[in-house]
Amino acid sequence: QSMAWVSGTLGLSTPRDAFITALCKSCLPPHYTLTVLNTPQSSPGSGGSPAPSAGSITKPQQHIHQSYHDAEIRQQVVAVGSALPTSATPSGAQQGPVMLTNKNLQVMRAVLSLAHCHGGVLASAWHLVLTTLQHLVWVLGLKPAAGGSLKQSSRANNDSNAVITTAVIADLPVLSSMLSRLFESSAQLDDVALHHLIDALCQLSSESMQLAYTNREPSLFAVAKLLETGLVNLSRVEVFWRPITNHLLEVCQHPHVRMREWGVEAVTHLVRTALTHPDLMRPQQGHQDFVLPLRDNQRLQSLLLSPLSELSSCSHADVRQKQLETLLTVLHSCGEQLQHGWPTILTVIAAVNDNHSEGLVRLAFQCLQLVVTDFLPVMPWRCLPLTVASAAKFGEHTQELNISLTAIGLMWNISDYFYQNQDRVRSCLSSDSGPAFPAFPGVPDMPPFDKLWMCLYARLGDLCVDGRPAVRKSASQTLFSTIAAHGSLLHNTTWQAVLWQVLFPLLDKVRQLSATASTEKVDEAGNILIHHSRNTHQKQWAETQVMTLSGCARVFSTKQHLLLGLPDYPRAWALMLDFIHTAALCRTNEVRFLGVLVCTTCCQVSLAALKSMQEMLQSSRSPVAPSSETCLSSSTATAASGDDGDKKLPHEEEEVANWNTAWKVLQSSVQVPVAADSAAFVLPSASDSSMVTPLQDAVLAVLHTLLLHVTAGEFFAMCTGFNSSSDQTNNNSSSSSTSGKKATDTTTTSPAVGSPTAVDPALASLVPQLFSVLLHFASYSYKLPAWGGLHTRPYTNKVRLYQVTATWPPVLAGRVLENIVQCCSPGLGLKYLCPSWRCLISALLTVLETGLPLARSHPQQHVSFWATLNSALDGFLFSSSPPPPNQSGEEAEADEELDCRVVQLLQEQVLPHPSTTPPHFLMSAMVLLNKGSIHSAPTS
């Protein structure tokens, strides 16, 4: 010992290594020494010659060793164990037991004492000392325990087959304690000596790793002592942190399970202990290494957390499990101290992906929940976008649906935090600027606080097109609720980005995915039962389309006062109407094959489109003059304050185009495919014809809003374009079988209209055009081939509209009565071939009770009316359509009663007034009566 110390102190590496080699050989049995210490030991970086080794022993020396061995046999054997495999041992070779005597253990104590007292001069000789100690520990059956110490356990005895005498069992704790004190004394070494010790341990560990690659049991001595060395030197963590952790990270990648387990245990234990070490939390005054405590030392926090981040690149599940467990412990113990470590923490949390197990994803999500719940106030603002991105990433995870839905709930909590702490967040953002946010093109001067909200909106928008319906629904509700609740915090210019970078791309993506969605039935295996209205991807995407469309319409409606200031708001409003128009069409190539259920889905989307347009139209009214009938589109609402209702508005062409788009939406919404079994959604039941279906109610609401907003000229222009486009659509219906074909009598009702004194003349002039539109819809009930199964709603409200407005000059001048008769005539002629003929004749008779007196008193406006009426009545009374063969007696009597009502009408409203009734119609009426008497005469 003394000679080794003197040589080391004088810098004589060769003598030092020779003395240490002699001691080390005496620690082990002679034959075992030949295999353990048979490689030349040289001093890297020293000028000395190679140290003597067992491999350089001459023949006389071998004779001396043999004699020594024979004498050793006579000594008492105190421990018997298995030999530690080395790289020099052939794989699969059988090794005999290793016997240790009292003398071996005494020399081991001497080696421990030498290293403990004179470790500062060992330099490269540390490798020789540690190799010897590793072999002795293996033979004695000592295994690593918590904190890097060595202990004997029953498992260790079973693995190593060590046999320890009673006399030595009491000495094992002492030897273990001496080993621990050896590495605890490394705290007294200078930085250079400490690095020599760490290099020797790393070299020893690398040799064990190479051995483990050959599928042989490695020694964990070096890994355990690296941990122990690091723990006792945390006061100078920057000196050793990277060499130790870098090597331990290599160990964590090893395929051998126990080697890998101890590698990750060591690195995570170091991180946990370092983050709570008193010398790092509160450094001593005047300490040269640390000026700032851990809480304020960004460089130190990044250094200590970097190993956790590096573990994310490991592909082994057990390593990632330990990493996240350590992170959760760190958050609980010292999360409030890590002001500068949040980027690393969030990166570790977000590194989990769908390839990992469900348990690993759940553990990472627990960390994120803790971060959002407890640590948002202490987090720097630069980490807030990363927190949003991490929550959104868990929303995209497909391992467990509940995690995705809860992650979306966390995003709502984050938005609440932004709102409740807006002043503090704004001040932090304004005081520290930097590239922490993604770029939002088109709005170069967006305030940082608004960029924070845009990050949240953009992430929620991405989740709205997730592949799972439940996630899409939750994300849509959260997105539009967040905009509704906190959108007022945004600057006006930021709404430009909300519309064009969040909402419109979302609508476009949903539209594309909905159009290409599969119509195959969703597999229900292993899941809860799915309702038939949602059992295909197409139906599920239709529901998403309804939610996004309604949500965007609400944004336009509720945030109109903010959107009006945008320079391109007219273009945005027109584009929104275009999305609604496309949704109202709701036609795909598979519609004709899907039958009843898809027809219902189409109707639901059309209904959503109508409701969305209703909100859009209501939001387009002027906030200055809400009672004006003049249309104030969003492009001119701000400029229309104080203008007279008849004054021409700027951007008139854009305004008319917008209203025309709105009219197309109305047209397309009622021209949806309706199968017989799904007609109840669009048409009322036969048992309760007074009920208005949701689609009818939406159509009426939109018509009412249009009447309140548009001028007579605009309405007439829309009606003209509508009728022509509807005719074209109807002509093409025979080939497509999806347009006006099933849009029967869904719009034959009308909004309530007051008395002429309560209605503005401009509004009264719109009534003829309104009748034209309603009659056009009514004609769909008989223009189509008979396919049965439809129940047509009576024209009650339309009749009531005529009864109220019949005497209005615009109605008389517009020949509305003649148009009604002309509309009903084809259906009445078809009679039994038209499913709505009873409704048609009942409505016509009611209208004629009001209209015939007016026709007699205003002959100039009803010149051609009488001929049209005669043709309609003749076609009805003498229809070529025979009654169905299964008609009952009660039904025949009811039909005959309708015929009698027509005759009674002629008797009461025509024949008593020959002076005011045109002669040609009187003659025609007499012909009808005569023909009817002959037709109804009984045969013999």
Side-chain angles (χ1 to χ4, degrees):
Q1 292 181 24
S2 299
M3 294 303 297
W5 170 68
V6 171
S7 299
T9 303
L10 296 176
L12 304 175
S13 59
T14 301
R16 177 201 65 197
D17 293 348
F19 289 120
I20 292 176
T21 300
L23 283 174
C24 292
K25 289 180 180 180
S26 300
C27 292
L28 298 170
H31 294 299
Y32 192 75
T33 304
L34 293 176
T35 59
V36 174
L37 302 175
N38 61 353
T39 54
Q41 300 291 332
S42 60
S43 303
S46 64
S49 60
S53 66
S56 62
I57 299 178
T58 62
K59 291 183 179 180
Q61 289 174 326
Q62 290 180 3
H63 177 72
I64 295 174
H65 275 279
Q66 183 65 35
S67 300
Y68 172 81
H69 175 66
D70 294 338
E72 187 98 33
I73 294 298
R74 294 189 293 271
Q75 301 293 330
Q76 181 183 4
V77 176
V78 296
V80 179
S82 61
L84 174 65
T86 62
S87 57
T89 306
S91 179
Q94 296 293 330
Q95 293 181 306
V98 179
M99 296 177 289
L100 297 179
T101 64
N102 278 326
K103 182 177 180 180
N104 295 134
L105 298 184
Q106 290 175 358
V107 179
M108 177 182 178
R109 290 187 179 92
V111 172
L112 288 172
S113 177
L114 170 65
H116 177 76
C117 299
H118 309 300
V121 299
L122 293 184
S124 60
W126 270 111
H127 183 265
L128 184 62
V129 172
L130 294 176
T131 302
T132 304
L133 294 177
Q134 177 179 247
H135 282 267
L136 286 170
V137 165
W138 181 271
V139 174
L140 292 173
L142 298 177
K143 299 296 180 180
S149 62
L150 299 175
K151 294 182 180 179
Q152 187 180 29
S153 62
S154 57
R155 177 182 175 184
N157 286 333
N158 294 334
D159 292 343
S160 62
N161 297 320
V163 179
I164 309 298
T165 63
T166 306
V168 179
I169 288 178
D171 290 340
L172 287 181
V174 177
L175 293 174
S176 176
S177 177
M178 292 181 67
L179 277 169
S180 295
R181 285 198 300 270
L182 167 62
F183 292 95
E184 289 173 0
S185 66
S186 64
Q188 309 302 322
L189 300 177
D190 58 25
D191 294 349
V192 175
L194 178 62
H195 273 287
H196 280 297
L197 172 60
I198 293 174
D199 289 343
L201 287 172
C202 291
Q203 184 179 353
L204 206 61
S205 176
S206 298
E207 294 172 1
S208 297
M209 291 172 62
Q210 292 298 324
L211 184 67
Y213 280 119
T214 61
N215 202 25
R216 287 185 283 180
E217 186 67 20
S219 172
L220 302 175
F221 172 83
V223 175
K225 293 311 171 182
L226 277 172
L227 170 61
E228 198 168 20
T229 303
L231 292 176
V232 299
N233 288 277
L234 285 176
S235 58
R236 46 175 175 173
V237 64
E238 290 189 343
V239 174
F240 73 86
W241 188 258
R242 294 194 182 279
I244 288 183
T245 56
N246 287 343
H247 178 76
L248 292 177
L249 289 172
E250 293 180 13
V251 177
C252 293
Q253 301 279 359
H254 201 280
H256 194 277
V257 177
R258 292 193 63 190
M259 176 73 72
R260 187 171 66 244
E261 286 178 351
W262 261 98
V264 69
E265 170 64 25
V267 71
T268 54
H269 193 134
L270 276 174
V271 172
R272 289 196 307 268
T273 309
L275 290 173
T276 56
H277 196 272
D279 290 344
L280 303 182
M281 304 287 287
R282 295 176 298 277
Q284 299 293 329
Q285 295 291 336
H287 201 286
Q288 297 297 324
D289 293 335
F290 304 109
V291 179
L292 297 175
L294 177 64
R295 181 185 182 90
D296 303 320
N297 196 326
Q298 180 179 358
R299 182 170 60 89
L300 180 59
Q301 290 184 22
S302 300
L303 177 69
L304 298 182
L305 290 173
S306 60
L308 279 184
S309 178
E310 293 293 333
L311 287 176
S312 299
S313 61
C314 183
S315 59
H316 300 287
D318 55 343
V319 174
R320 301 299 302 276
Q321 181 83 10
K322 190 69 176 179
Q323 173 203 32
L324 293 173
E325 290 175 354
T326 301
L327 181 60
L328 189 60
T329 303
V330 167
L331 290 174
H332 280 294
S333 60
C334 56
E336 67 281 354
Q337 302 290 332
L338 304 177
Q339 293 186 351
H340 304 286
W342 290 110
T344 302
I345 292 174
L346 293 171
T347 302
V348 171
I349 294 174
V352 179
N353 53 50
D354 287 336
N355 295 325
H356 296 105
S357 64
E358 182 178 330
L360 198 63
V361 174
R362 189 180 296 110
L363 183 58
F365 187 64
Q366 290 178 8
C367 297
L368 180 64
Q369 284 181 298
L370 184 61
V371 169
V372 175
T373 304
D374 295 350
F375 297 113
L376 283 180
V378 301
M379 187 182 297
W381 71 266
R382 288 176 174 271
C383 300
L384 294 178
L386 188 57
T387 306
V388 173
S390 300
K393 187 169 183 179
F394 278 97
E396 297 171 352
H397 273 291
T398 58
Q399 289 283 356
E400 187 176 351
L401 179 61
N402 288 336
I403 289 180
S404 299
L405 299 179
T406 309
I408 295 174
L410 289 182
M411 299 180 75
W412 173 260
N413 296 340
I414 294 173
S415 71
D416 279 346
Y417 170 78
F418 292 166
Y419 177 76
Q420 295 170 4
N421 300 270
Q422 53 182 298
D423 295 335
R424 190 176 71 85
V425 175
R426 286 181 192 273
S427 62
C428 294
L429 294 176
S430 60
S431 61
D432 185 13
S433 59
F437 298 105
F440 297 100
V443 189
D445 298 328
M446 184 184 298
F449 187 62
D450 289 10
K451 290 183 178 180
L452 202 56
W453 284 103
M454 282 298 301
C455 291
L456 182 66
Y457 294 154
R459 292 293 184 172
L460 285 172
D462 294 338
L463 291 174
C464 289
V465 292
D466 189 86
R468 294 160 293 175
V471 175
R472 296 199 298 268
K473 181 177 181 180
S474 180
S476 298
Q477 292 173 343
T478 303
L479 172 62
F480 294 114
S481 297
T482 304
I483 293 177
H486 310 311
S488 58
L489 298 178
L490 301 178
H491 285 67
N492 289 343
T493 55
T494 306
W495 280 99
Q496 188 91 357
V498 174
L499 292 179
W500 297 101
Q501 300 181 35
V502 178
L503 297 185
F504 288 150
L506 171 61
L507 289 174
D508 184 61
K509 187 68 173 178
V510 170
R511 179 170 61 181
Q512 294 177 13
L513 294 173
S514 180
T516 59
S518 172
T519 59
E520 297 294 331
K521 188 175 181 180
V522 177
D523 184 15
E524 300 176 359
N527 300 322
I528 61 175
L529 294 177
I530 302 176
H531 192 264
H532 64 80
S533 63
R534 296 291 180 267
N535 61 355
T536 69
H537 291 294
Q538 186 183 59
K539 298 172 188 176
Q540 294 168 354
W541 276 106
E543 183 184 20
T544 303
Q545 193 175 14
V546 169
M547 288 187 296
T548 54
L549 197 64
S550 303
C552 291
R554 284 196 303 272
V555 171
F556 273 81
S557 176
T558 58
K559 304 300 179 183
Q560 182 197 15
H561 61 287
L562 299 173
L563 301 177
L564 287 175
L566 299 180
D568 60 349
Y569 179 70
R571 186 164 63 96
W573 196 81
L575 182 58
M576 183 63 201
L577 285 178
D578 181 68
F579 278 113
I580 297 175
H581 180 213
T582 305
L585 293 174
C586 186
R587 299 187 182 95
T588 61
N589 294 330
E590 295 81 10
V591 166
R592 67 192 67 183
F593 305 109
L594 292 178
V596 176
L597 299 180
V598 172
C599 292
T600 305
T601 302
C602 294
C603 295
Q604 290 171 343
V605 177
S606 294
L607 176 60
L610 283 172
K611 291 182 178 179
S612 300
M613 191 179 73
Q614 173 71 3
E615 288 197 56
M616 294 281 292
L617 295 177
Q618 289 176 346
S619 68
S620 67
R621 299 188 64 180
S622 170
V624 179
S627 61
S628 173
E629 291 81 8
T630 303
C631 168
L632 297 179
S633 71
S634 49
S635 62
T636 60
T638 54
S641 176
D643 289 349
D644 184 76
D646 297 330
K647 184 175 180 180
K648 286 289 184 180
L649 300 176
H651 310 291
E652 184 175 355
E653 292 183 359
E654 281 188 12
E655 181 180 334
V656 173
N658 289 342
W659 286 117
N660 287 335
T661 303
W663 197 254
K664 291 179 182 179
V665 173
L666 177 61
Q667 170 195 353
S668 303
S669 298
V670 297
Q671 293 179 347
V672 294
V674 182
D677 295 335
S678 63
F681 181 83
V682 184
L683 307 173
S685 63
S687 59
D688 190 1
S689 60
S690 63
M691 293 296 295
V692 178
T693 63
L695 189 61
Q696 287 176 319
D697 185 67
V699 171
L700 297 179
V702 173
L703 285 173
H704 182 68
T705 304
L706 284 172
L707 290 176
L708 294 176
H709 284 67
V710 300
T711 63
E714 291 166 348
F715 189 83
F716 179 76
M718 289 188 293
C719 290
T720 303
F722 168 76
N723 288 331
S724 61
S725 61
S726 296
D727 291 337
Q728 182 179 1
T729 303
N730 191 51
N731 291 335
N732 295 332
S733 63
S734 59
S735 59
S736 65
S737 300
T738 57
S739 59
K741 174 177 160 182
K742 288 96 178 171
T744 58
D745 192 28
T746 61
T747 56
T748 56
T749 57
S750 62
V753 182
S755 61
T757 57
V759 179
D760 188 89
L763 181 59
S765 64
L766 302 179
V767 176
Q769 283 78 22
L770 177 59
F771 269 109
S772 175
V773 175
L774 296 179
L775 293 174
H776 189 83
F777 286 135
S779 66
Y780 290 155
S781 62
Y782 57 80
K783 280 186 178 180
L784 304 170
W787 55 293
L790 279 180
H791 295 291
T792 310
R793 189 186 192 283
Y795 295 13
T796 306
N797 288 350
K798 183 181 69 175
V799 171
R800 186 182 304 117
L801 175 63
Y802 179 76
Q803 289 174 334
V804 173
T805 63
T807 59
W808 294 9
V811 175
L812 293 172
R815 301 193 304 174
V816 171
L817 180 60
E818 180 180 353
N819 292 337
I820 293 176
V821 176
Q822 190 172 6
C823 175
C824 297
S825 181
L828 296 177
L830 294 173
K831 204 165 187 178
Y832 291 106
L833 296 178
C834 177
S836 58
W837 71 271
R838 294 179 180 86
C839 296
L840 289 172
I841 189 59
S842 298
L844 179 60
L845 292 175
T846 305
V847 168
L848 290 177
E849 290 177 358
T850 304
L852 285 176
L854 292 174
R856 292 194 303 268
S857 59
H858 299 82
Q860 295 181 353
Q861 286 86 1
H862 299 83
V863 175
S864 58
F865 159 75
W866 302 100
T868 304
L869 178 60
N870 177 68
S871 176
L873 296 180
D874 182 71
F876 171 72
L877 291 174
F878 307 104
S879 173
S880 60
S881 172
N886 58 348
Q887 186 182 40
S888 63
E890 291 80 4
E891 292 176 345
E893 291 180 2
D895 294 347
E896 187 175 351
E897 183 180 353
L898 290 175
D899 295 341
C900 294
R901 286 185 58 188
V902 175
V903 176
Q904 186 178 1
L905 177 71
L906 296 175
Q907 179 185 356
E908 296 177 355
Q909 297 289 340
V910 176
L911 298 180
H913 308 282
S915 60
T916 57
T917 303
H920 65 86
F921 183 76
L922 286 173
M923 183 61 65
S924 299
M926 294 303 295
V927 171
L928 288 176
L929 294 175
N930 183 46
K931 187 177 179 181
S933 63
I934 298 174
H935 183 75
S936 61
T939 59
S940 57

